[in-house]
Amino acid sequence: MSARIDVVSIFPDYLAPLELSLVGKARQRGIVDIAVHDLRDWTTDRHRTVDDTPFGGGAGMVMRPDVWGDALDEVLQAGPDGGAAPGGRVLLVPTPAGQPFTQRTAEELAGVLADGGQVAIACGRYEGIDSRITEHYAARHDVQVREVSIGDYVLNGGEVAALVVIEAVVRLLPGVLGNAASVIEESHGTDGLLEHPSYTQPPTWRDLEVPEILRSGDHGRIARWRRERAVERTAQVRPDLLATHPVTVRAARRGDAEVLAELAAATFRLACPPDMSEEDMAAYVQEHLTLERFRGYLKDGRRWLLVAEVVGAVVGYTMSIMGEPTDPEIAAAVPTRPTAELSKFYVRAALHRSGAASALMEATLAMARERGLPGIWLGVNGQNERARRFYGKHGFERVGGRTFTVGSRRESDDVMYRTL
Ligand code: SAM
């Protein structure tokens, strides 16, 4: 069964790149048959006219339905396998007023072609094609009409859109790409994420190093790192793509110690005052947020650690500690007993608007209630306005203050308390 693509345009030369690269090779190897037609071959007048003025007035010209109709009738009749087109026929009309063309559309069209179907692309020019063309073919039971836009901007004609569609679709046909896995692992793949960053030789270029983990040879860690970066990048660049993925919160397990230590080191600075030195931050991380420390935290029955995950990547965590506050200032400020400290609450910066923080907070408070606590407290840096607002929104109120040391500095915190 052969796959067949037809393109109709008044500028067939515009489609010359279809001879090149992977699409050109796929044609040579007989994976796809692509024919480009000149719309003017179906005109009947001396001037080979394809357009006329719009009914109702207005700027620009509109392409005539009679010329397009004759062209499309013939093109759609020919099709693959002697005109049978077992995979069905799609009339694809590029237009900025169409449905967004996405990877899912490309997959659907590749499916039609892989089954021996036909995709005919009608490239408009001027103000587009008379609307009766889509109406007419949509009414035909053997043709599926799809009006697609390749983005929210206006081009002069459909040829560039046709090239975009063909390139995106043909690379999905079996046998076109050397390594079929590269299609699955890419941006807009099955998990709906953007791809992680990629690196090649040399390991150091203009003082920029390839992340150490990618040279570790540890495939498990590499896969985890890539997923985390993919989630982070998607959250930064295309939060709309993440919105369809739920945030899940679960109790941290012993095996999470490494993930937690890495996450803690990466997020600790988010809660630090802006003028804190790198050395002081590093000293704190070295002392409290190492792998060994987290192994200990996870074994300690007085602590409960929760992690938030998005598409399988841990993006945030909380750690709470049961017990009487050791600091007398805090002991005096916290009004109820028994109590616990919400000691750590961190979410990767890129995911601050993803809902992960609220989901973590709800689950943390639910765990505190399950333990029968009447209230829970936390310390938040006096300068960390964003965090104080977040805790305030979740029912915490300031009940006092405390001072403590980070590296070589004295810091002051607000003590906030929430009744459960
Ligand atoms: N009058 C049309 C409108 O406002 O929706 C715009 C017509 S445009 C100038 C001419 C042709 O370019 C269209 O018929 C279509 O084939 C193509 N085109 C322009 N922008 C496009 C886009 N974003 N996606 C797909 N095709 C586009």
Side-chain angles (χ1 to χ4, degrees):
M1 268 188 306
S2 62
R4 166 86 176 202
I5 299 176
D6 291 88
V7 187
V8 185
S9 160
I10 57 168
F11 293 119
D13 291 348
Y14 225 119
L15 285 307
L18 295 175
E19 306 279 348
L20 306 175
S21 182
L22 284 173
V23 174
K25 283 208 190 94
R27 294 171 81 177
Q28 281 164 18
R29 289 162 57 205
I31 296 174
V32 61
D33 181 11
I34 302 182
V36 178
H37 312 272
D38 186 346
L39 177 69
R40 292 196 201 272
D41 290 349
W42 283 277
T43 54
T44 47
D45 66 322
R46 210 156 48 89
H47 301 292
R48 308 184 83 203
T49 309
V50 293
D51 60 323
D52 213 322
T53 52
F55 277 114
M61 302 294 272
V62 176
M63 297 187 103
R64 295 176 61 104
D66 48 357
V67 182
W68 267 110
D70 288 348
L72 292 175
D73 281 350
E74 198 174 322
V75 164
L76 288 167
Q77 189 156 22
D81 285 347
R89 296 178 202 280
V90 174
L91 171 59
L92 190 119
V93 184
T95 160
Q99 297 276 342
F101 176 75
T102 66
Q103 189 67 17
R104 300 293 88 76
T105 327
E107 286 162 3
E108 286 161 24
L109 295 175
V112 168
L113 292 173
D115 291 343
Q118 177 188 21
V119 175
I121 307 180
C123 299
R125 281 266 151 185
Y126 318 118
E127 290 313 315
I129 303 171
D130 185 301
S131 291
R132 285 169 291 181
I133 283 295
T134 50
E135 262 175 60
H136 171 79
Y137 288 99
R140 248 175 77 166
H141 70 276
D142 61 333
V143 179
Q144 188 200 348
V145 175
R146 299 192 70 154
E147 293 184 275
V148 298
S149 165
I150 61 160
D152 292 343
Y153 41 76
V154 178
L155 303 165
N156 289 333
E159 291 74 14
V160 172
L163 290 174
V164 167
V165 168
I166 292 170
E167 182 147 327
V169 171
V170 168
R171 67 197 295 282
L172 299 179
L173 295 177
V176 172
L177 293 187
N179 181 358
S182 50
V183 173
I184 297 165
E185 290 164 8
E186 284 174 323
S187 298
H188 307 294
T190 41
D191 57 13
L193 297 176
L194 303 183
E195 197 183 46
H196 53 79
S198 302
Y199 304 87
T200 185
Q201 300 295 344
T204 306
W205 176 76
R206 298 193 180 170
D207 292 339
L208 295 170
E209 304 276 345
V210 171
E212 180 279 323
I213 208 163
L214 297 179
R215 293 192 273 158
S216 68
D218 182 336
H219 297 296
R221 284 181 76 211
I222 291 172
R224 201 186 76 218
W225 183 91
R226 286 184 164 162
R227 176 146 293 249
E228 286 171 0
R229 297 296 77 72
V231 168
E232 204 168 34
R233 187 185 216 174
T234 310
Q236 270 161 353
V237 181
R238 291 289 303 277
D240 57 308
L241 296 179
L242 267 194
T244 57
H245 292 285
V247 177
T248 53
V249 177
R250 61 169 175 83
R253 301 183 276 259
R254 299 259 169 116
D256 291 322
E258 189 180 305
V259 178
L260 284 166
E262 276 172 26
L263 179 63
T267 53
F268 172 65
R269 60 178 58 244
L270 297 174
C272 293
D275 56 345
M276 184 181 279
S277 72
E278 289 293 327
E279 293 74 46
D280 283 350
M281 283 193 273
Y284 187 90
V285 170
Q286 270 310 309
E287 169 142 18
H288 299 285
L289 304 176
T290 58
L291 175 59
E292 275 317 306
R293 282 285 189 169
F294 273 98
R295 285 196 177 127
Y297 297 152
L298 287 164
K299 274 191 221 146
D300 180 354
R302 294 180 313 126
R303 295 170 195 254
W304 72 94
L305 286 90
L306 300 178
V307 294
E309 289 180 312
V310 176
V311 210
V314 174
V315 298
Y317 77 105
T318 68
M319 179 167 79
S320 310
I321 313 168
M322 293 284 293
E324 177 65 17
T326 48
D327 182 320
E329 280 180 277
I330 296 169
V334 174
T336 57
R337 297 292 186 278
T339 193
E341 176 188 6
L342 175 46
S343 160
K344 309 228 176 291
F345 192 122
Y346 288 96
V347 173
R348 283 196 189 278
L351 285 114
H352 277 178
R353 287 172 200 283
S354 68
S358 291
L360 265 176
M361 178 59 87
E362 274 160 38
T364 303
L365 297 179
M367 288 279 284
R369 278 188 206 103
E370 263 174 43
R371 290 176 174 230
L373 300 179
I376 188 166
W377 67 274
L378 59 83
V380 56
N381 191 281
Q383 297 183 57
N384 193 345
E385 188 48 41
R386 192 181 55 77
R388 284 197 313 192
R389 240 183 296 124
F390 174 78
Y391 295 132
K393 206 177 83 188
H394 285 273
F396 283 81
E397 285 173 8
R398 188 180 191 282
V399 289
R402 67 156 169 184
T403 49
F404 65 107
T405 309
V406 175
S408 57
R409 289 167 51 113
R410 292 297 286 167
E411 292 291 337
S412 76
D413 268 5
D414 282 352
V415 175
M416 297 181 83
Y417 171 85
R418 187 194 196 283
T419 307
L420 292 167

Coordinates of all heavy atoms in Angstrom, one line a residue, residues 324-334 337 377 399-403 415:
E324 N 8.0 18.8 71.0 CA 8.1 20.1 71.7 C 9.1 21.0 71.1 O 10.2 20.6 70.8 CB 8.4 19.8 73.2 CG 8.5 21.0 74.1 CD 7.2 21.8 74.2 OE1 6.1 21.3 73.9 OE2 7.3 23.0 74.6
P325 N 8.8 22.3 70.7 CA 9.8 23.2 70.2 C 11.0 23.3 71.2 O 10.8 23.5 72.4 CB 9.1 24.5 70.0 CG 7.7 24.2 70.1 CD 7.5 23.0 70.9
T326 N 12.2 23.2 70.7 CA 13.4 23.3 71.6 C 13.7 24.7 72.0 O 14.2 25.1 73.0 CB 14.6 22.6 71.0 OG1 14.8 23.1 69.6 CG2 14.5 21.1 71.0
D327 N 13.4 25.6 71.0 CA 13.7 27.1 71.2 C 12.7 27.7 72.2 O 11.5 27.6 71.9 CB 13.7 27.7 69.8 CG 14.0 29.2 69.9 OD1 13.5 29.9 70.8 OD2 14.7 29.7 69.0
P328 N 13.1 28.2 73.3 CA 12.1 28.8 74.3 C 11.2 29.9 73.7 O 10.1 29.9 74.1 CB 13.0 29.3 75.4 CG 14.4 29.2 74.9 CD 14.5 28.4 73.7
E329 N 11.8 30.7 72.8 CA 10.9 31.7 72.1 C 9.8 31.1 71.4 O 8.6 31.6 71.4 CB 11.8 32.5 71.1 CG 12.7 33.6 71.7 CD 13.4 34.3 70.5 OE1 14.5 33.8 70.1 OE2 13.0 35.4 70.1
I330 N 10.1 30.0 70.7 CA 9.0 29.4 69.9 C 8.1 28.6 70.8 O 6.8 28.7 70.7 CB 9.6 28.4 68.9 CG1 10.5 29.2 67.9 CG2 8.6 27.6 68.1 CD1 11.4 28.4 67.0
A331 N 8.6 27.9 71.8 CA 7.8 27.2 72.8 C 6.7 28.1 73.4 O 5.6 27.8 73.6 CB 8.6 26.5 73.8
A332 N 7.2 29.4 73.7 CA 6.2 30.3 74.3 C 5.2 30.8 73.3 O 4.1 31.1 73.7 CB 7.0 31.5 74.8
A333 N 5.6 30.9 72.0 CA 4.7 31.5 71.0 C 3.6 30.5 70.5 O 2.5 30.9 70.2 CB 5.5 32.0 69.8
V334 N 4.0 29.2 70.4 CA 3.1 28.2 69.9 C 2.0 27.8 71.0 O 2.4 27.4 72.0 CB 3.9 26.9 69.4 CG1 2.9 25.8 69.0 CG2 4.8 27.3 68.3
R337 N -0.5 22.0 72.4 CA 0.4 20.8 72.4 C -0.5 19.6 72.3 O -1.7 19.6 72.7 CB 1.1 20.7 73.8 CG 2.0 21.9 74.1 CD 3.3 21.9 73.2 NE 4.2 22.9 73.6 CZ 4.1 24.2 73.2 NH1 3.2 24.6 72.4 NH2 5.0 25.0 73.6
W377 N 3.2 24.5 63.5 CA 3.9 25.8 63.3 C 5.0 25.7 62.3 O 5.5 24.7 62.0 CB 4.4 26.3 64.7 CG 5.5 25.5 65.3 CD1 5.4 24.3 66.0 CD2 6.9 25.7 65.1 NE1 6.6 23.8 66.4 CE2 7.6 24.7 65.8 CE3 7.7 26.7 64.5 CZ2 9.0 24.6 65.9 CZ3 9.1 26.6 64.5 CH2 9.7 25.5 65.2
V399 N 2.7 34.3 65.2 CA 2.5 34.2 66.6 C 3.7 34.7 67.4 O 3.7 34.8 68.6 CB 2.1 32.8 67.1 CG1 0.6 32.5 66.7 CG2 3.0 31.7 66.6
G400 N 4.8 34.9 66.6 CA 6.0 35.3 67.3 C 7.2 35.3 66.4 O 7.0 35.3 65.1
G401 N 8.4 35.4 66.9 CA 9.6 35.5 66.1 C 10.7 34.6 66.7 O 10.6 34.2 67.9
R402 N 11.8 34.4 66.0 CA 13.0 33.6 66.5 C 14.2 34.1 65.7 O 14.1 34.5 64.6 CB 12.8 32.1 66.5 CG 12.8 31.6 65.0 CD 13.2 30.2 64.9 NE 13.0 29.7 63.6 CZ 13.1 28.5 63.2 NH1 13.6 27.6 64.0 NH2 12.9 28.1 61.9
T403 N 15.3 33.9 66.3 CA 16.6 34.1 65.6 C 17.4 32.9 65.6 O 17.3 32.0 66.5 CB 17.4 35.3 66.3 OG1 17.5 34.9 67.7 CG2 16.8 36.6 66.1
V415 N 7.5 33.3 63.3 CA 6.9 32.0 63.7 C 5.5 32.1 63.4 O 4.8 33.0 63.8 CB 7.2 31.7 65.2 CG1 6.4 30.4 65.5 CG2 8.6 31.6 65.5

